[in-house]
Amino acid sequence: MLTLQNISKTFNPGTVNEKTALTDVSLHLEKGDFVTIIGANGAGKSTLFNAIAGSFFPDTGRIELDGQDVTFQPEFKRAKAIGRLFQDPMRGSAPAMTIEENLALAAAGGGWLSHVSKAEKAAFRDKLALLDMGLEDRMRQPVGLLSGGQRQALTLLMATMVPPKLLLLDEHTAALDPSTAEKVLALTQDIVREHGLTCLMITHNMSSALELGNRTLMMDSGRILLDLKGDARQGLTVSDLLRMFKENVGKALDNDRMLLS
Amino acid sequence: MSLSAIWGLVQTALELGVTCSLTVLALFLSYSMLNVCDLSTDGCFTLGAAVGAVVAIAGHPYLSIPAAMAAGMLSGFVTAVLQTRMGIDSLLAGIIVNTGLYSINIAVMGKSSLLNMNKTETVFTKVKALLADTPLAGYQELLIALAAVALVIVFLTLFLRTRLGLAIRATGDNPDMVRSSSINPVFTTTVGLCVANAFTGLSGCLLAQSQKSVNIDIGSGMVTIALASLLIGQTFLGRGSIAKRAVGMVLGSVIFRLVYTIALRLNMPAFMLKLVSSVIVIIAIAGPYLKTQLPMLEKRLAGSRKGGG
């Protein structure tokens, strides 16, 4: 489904600000894989997502998505196959436009000059009702009036409106209050399961990293340190993870936002 | 002052307001929707006026309108390419195009800075002949401007609801979102500026033909005047549907011209027009900002008083 071969990226090479963000990262995902990613601040988790999504082109290596070489494909073209959610819930929707208009943008059916049909609007309503946030009755309201949690749920709906080949979740519940975060996470699981999406999720919650999905990656200094799946991942606890990190890096996992419970 | 004299003044203000509201609608698209302040507006307005006049003088009164719009579109395309493909800041791109257009406009007008259309057949003379024996005789300027504005509003309302229109609005509303989406901001910005500048060109063309002359300065200060009208319109009809807000733009433009006409009657010299439009833009943009700063200022003043210097 997704194959990364020896991806490396150095920002500002040859200057004092030189930063090696990714070093020789290789990764292969099967269709339907749900992979959680953990790692300290600056480990290269978001940079990995940027490489996959095409926010920059890698210095070396090759990225293949669904059998197609996308290494140097511009971001907006790749975005047709990749849905992406960020930590900032304000980032994924247009505040001055209505819920309906935002969904229409995401639906991307028909040509450039086509209008949103009645049938599509009805479909939007049904999808919004699934969120159970009362948004289906506020379709004509600007998105700017919604709360962070509502906006992130809407963004999730928009990103998966046309089921993407790959869904990238970059700590998408980290900025939400605990109960809303739980709800958005549950919604994410439902949607991923419903469409059988291939999904990469960065999280700072170590227990949900082990609970969710079928595979866990641990990153540090631009490398994938641990790749846990199958039997090796079965029955693993948070303290096991912390111990494994220390053994591999030689220092304790240090992340001020990391939740250990 | 007699009633008919007053009506005469109001009629002139209406004609000017409605004709120039096409430029306000252009800014409604580029400034309010795309969030690009298009400073090529002045030059583009004159370009539309010059191209329209030259084509009309060549004996094609109807062709002059699409020609002026196409010229405006081309100018918008250049501005868009400069800012999306050449790494030039959007404000600077507008200024550069505006400066370049000055030379182009004089070239279009046959190396002259003034074109006279007193004996030229234009859309206005055609319609004037049609209206000759009807109750609407003498209203051709207003009627043509109103018809053009109505068409543009209908177009904008429909266009901004299409997927392309929604993508253009999203490009201005949340660039972060668009950057990581399947919308190509280069494409949406280019289309938006092309369409907006077509309206600006049309506005210039109609104003020149109704005044029967083009001066190289016909568009100077137009971007500020249009911005002032846009901000006035926004305070009246700033919320709600696109159609309502677009009507607000026309209303803003007409109010601006009416207030200006009244000020002229109160002996304000005509050369003050541009200063007035500048002051309106400053008040409309700085006002809301200063209002948010006021509580902070009060706190600081109160704090320094308590502290006793």
Side-chain angles (χ1 to χ4, degrees):
Chain A
M1 182 67 203
L2 175 74
T3 307
L4 273 70
Q5 282 173 5
N6 311 98
I7 297 295
S8 294
K9 179 71 187 179
T10 303
F11 290 108
N12 308 313
T15 70
V16 285
N17 292 323
E18 183 171 299
K19 166 123 178 61
T20 304
L22 293 174
T23 310
D24 205 24
V25 173
S26 294
L27 178 67
H28 179 77
L29 260 59
E30 296 298 338
K31 190 170 173 6
D33 267 352
F34 188 151
V35 182
T36 55
I37 305 177
I38 50 174
N41 295 334
K45 306 179 299 275
S46 297
T47 313
L48 178 68
F49 275 18
N50 284 336
I52 295 171
S55 310
F56 60 75
F57 296 143
D59 298 335
T60 63
R62 194 177 130 85
I63 302 171
E64 213 175 85
L65 182 62
D66 206 16
Q68 195 191 353
D69 184 350
V70 297
T71 316
F72 297 112
Q73 199 180 49
E75 190 172 11
F76 73 89
K77 283 201 178 141
R78 238 181 278 191
K80 286 205 175 74
I82 301 177
R84 194 174 185 193
L85 262 73
F86 296 89
Q87 185 178 342
D88 180 2
M90 307 300 153
R91 200 166 157 176
S93 44
M97 293 165 67
T98 64
I99 295 179
E100 190 177 283
E101 288 167 341
N102 271 280
L103 287 170
L105 262 182
W112 274 120
L113 294 177
S114 63
H115 282 86
V116 183
S117 67
K118 281 231 172 65
E120 275 180 297
K121 284 182 191 172
F124 294 165
R125 225 187 125 79
D126 294 344
K127 293 232 176 199
L128 283 169
L130 294 177
L131 300 181
D132 194 23
M133 290 176 164
L135 297 184
E136 65 276 17
D137 298 319
R138 301 172 61 184
M139 286 175 58
R140 291 291 182 93
Q141 284 184 19
V143 166
L145 297 177
L146 307 187
S147 71
Q150 289 170 332
R151 265 181 90 164
Q152 199 67 314
L154 179 69
T155 308
L156 181 65
L157 205 58
M158 288 166 65
T160 53
M161 179 74 82
V162 181
K165 288 176 182 164
L166 179 68
L167 184 62
L168 301 176
L169 306 169
D170 191 345
E171 301 201 44
H172 70 304
T173 60
L176 310 178
D177 69 78
S179 66
T180 316
E182 207 172 294
K183 192 166 183 185
V184 171
L185 202 56
L187 276 169
T188 309
Q189 282 176 280
D190 290 347
I191 290 176
V192 168
R193 203 176 302 130
E194 185 193 338
H195 300 293
L197 298 178
T198 312
C199 178
L200 278 165
M201 180 171 98
I202 297 173
T203 176
H204 61 264
N205 186 324
M206 303 209 28
S207 62
S208 61
L210 288 174
E211 274 163 32
L212 296 173
N214 60 346
R215 190 172 167 189
T216 300
L217 303 177
M218 185 182 269
M219 291 189 72
D220 190 70
S221 316
R223 296 170 193 274
I224 296 176
L225 282 187
L226 286 174
D227 184 351
L228 302 162
K229 53 188 165 185
D231 291 342
R233 190 173 180 264
Q234 204 71 40
L236 220 56
T237 64
V238 171
S239 53
D240 291 334
L241 265 187
L242 290 171
R243 185 178 44 77
M244 290 167 113
F245 183 89
K246 201 168 177 185
E247 280 165 8
N248 275 278
V249 187
K251 61 174 185 187
L253 182 58
D254 175 29
N255 185 334
D256 48 9
R257 287 188 300 116
M258 191 70 80
L259 297 176
L260 304 177
S261 56
Chain B
M1 197 171 162
S2 71
L3 265 179
S4 68
I6 292 177
W7 172 240
L9 284 175
V10 170
Q11 194 187 339
T12 313
L14 281 177
E15 283 165 19
L16 261 175
V18 176
T19 309
C20 292
S21 74
L22 290 164
T23 306
V24 187
L25 287 166
L27 289 198
F28 177 61
L29 185 58
S30 60
Y31 183 76
S32 302
M33 295 292 155
L34 258 184
N35 202 16
V36 170
C37 190
D38 184 4
L39 294 182
S40 71
T41 300
D42 290 8
C44 184
F45 189 89
T46 313
L47 179 70
V51 169
V54 168
V55 175
I57 289 169
H60 305 285
Y62 293 118
L63 192 64
S64 68
I65 287 170
M69 290 178 78
M73 206 177 265
L74 189 65
S75 148
F77 181 75
V78 174
T79 314
V81 167
L82 290 184
Q83 61 183 269
T84 55
R85 296 278 187 202
M86 308 280 173
I88 298 172
D89 176 78
S90 74
L91 289 176
L92 189 57
I95 293 170
I96 292 170
V97 169
N98 193 45
T99 307
L101 279 174
Y102 187 87
S103 306
I104 291 176
N105 289 336
I106 291 191
V108 168
M109 285 154 67
K111 293 180 194 161
S112 140
S113 58
L114 187 71
L115 275 187
N116 204 309
M117 287 187 279
N118 271 331
K119 295 198 179 89
T120 307
E121 199 177 28
T122 65
V123 182
F124 291 90
T125 58
K126 290 266 187 196
V127 175
K128 189 180 180 181
L130 273 178
L131 295 176
D133 292 315
T134 67
L136 289 170
Y139 285 104
Q140 64 277 2
E141 282 88 2
L142 195 54
L143 285 176
I144 290 174
L146 278 174
V149 163
L151 283 175
V152 167
I153 290 181
V154 168
F155 172 82
L156 270 182
T157 311
L158 292 175
F159 177 66
L160 288 172
R161 281 217 309 262
T162 63
R163 286 181 211 280
L164 178 57
L166 291 174
I168 287 174
R169 290 168 61 196
T171 307
D173 197 23
N174 191 348
D176 274 343
M177 160 195 175
V178 167
R179 220 168 288 130
S180 55
S181 78
S182 56
I183 302 166
N184 181 3
V186 171
F187 177 64
T188 48
T189 305
T190 309
V191 173
L193 284 181
C194 284
V195 173
N197 280 285
F199 298 155
T200 306
L202 172 65
S203 187
C205 171
L206 291 184
L207 185 70
Q209 295 196 3
S210 68
Q211 292 182 343
K212 297 192 176 113
S213 75
V214 190
N215 182 319
I216 189 67
D217 287 329
I218 192 170
S220 91
M222 196 48 79
V223 68
T224 315
I225 292 172
L227 214 46
S229 309
L230 180 143
L231 295 165
I232 294 171
Q234 231 167 41
T235 58
F236 287 100
L237 293 171
R239 288 174 181 280
S241 68
I242 297 286
K244 195 171 137 197
R245 290 171 65 190
V247 171
M249 297 298 109
V250 184
L251 186 70
S253 184
V254 169
I255 290 173
F256 178 86
R257 293 291 171 174
L258 282 175
V259 170
Y260 176 65
T261 306
I262 293 169
L264 282 182
R265 289 298 304 170
L266 297 174
N267 290 327
M268 184 188 78
F271 64 79
M272 294 296 280
L273 168 71
K274 274 153 202 174
L275 182 62
V276 169
S277 62
S278 297
V279 170
I280 289 176
V281 172
I282 292 171
I283 293 172
I285 296 178
Y289 169 77
L290 293 176
K291 220 158 122 190
T292 62
Q293 298 294 305
L294 200 61
M296 289 296 280
L297 192 68
E298 280 169 352
K299 265 187 199 152
R300 271 171 54 194
L301 285 176
S304 67
R305 229 175 279 136
K306 239 180 266 165

